[in-house]
């Protein structure tokens, strides 16, 4: 196999492409984490809401 030689200009372009992919990957990971935390928060919010409604229903039953 023959060794591949890059000119400094080609090397610079290659590094820019790698940096672009790295930034896109980092942004994707950040967005995935934000989405995951939002999903967890929504589950917690609905759980609290259901508990609140259940307490209200229990109060109404004990009053009646």
């Amino acid at each position: 196999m023959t060794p591949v030689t890059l000119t400094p200009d080609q090397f610079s372009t290659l590094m820019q492409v790698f940096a672009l992919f790295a930034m896109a990957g980092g942004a994707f990971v950040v967005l995935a984490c934000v989405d995951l935390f939002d999903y967890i928060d929504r589950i917690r919010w609905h759980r609290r809401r259901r508990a609140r409604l259940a307490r209200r229903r229990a109060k109404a039953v004990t009053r009646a």
Side-chain angles (χ1 to χ4, degrees):
M1 213 168 115
T2 58
V4 178
T5 54
L6 292 174
T7 64
D9 198 36
Q10 288 173 325
F11 181 75
S12 174
T13 305
L14 189 65
M15 287 298 111
Q16 284 176 342
V17 169
F18 279 147
L20 191 68
F21 277 115
M23 283 188 286
F28 181 75
V29 168
V30 167
L31 285 175
C33 286
V34 167
D35 204 37
L36 179 70
F37 287 135
D38 184 49
Y39 177 70
I40 290 169
D41 194 46
R42 201 175 310 140
I43 288 173
R44 285 183 180 154
W45 186 84
H46 279 290
R47 201 175 283 159
R48 282 195 308 261
R49 182 168 184 264
R50 276 197 300 269
R52 213 169 28 240
L53 289 174
R55 280 195 303 269
R56 192 179 296 165
R57 242 181 267 122
K59 258 188 213 171
V61 166
T62 53
R63 277 191 207 136

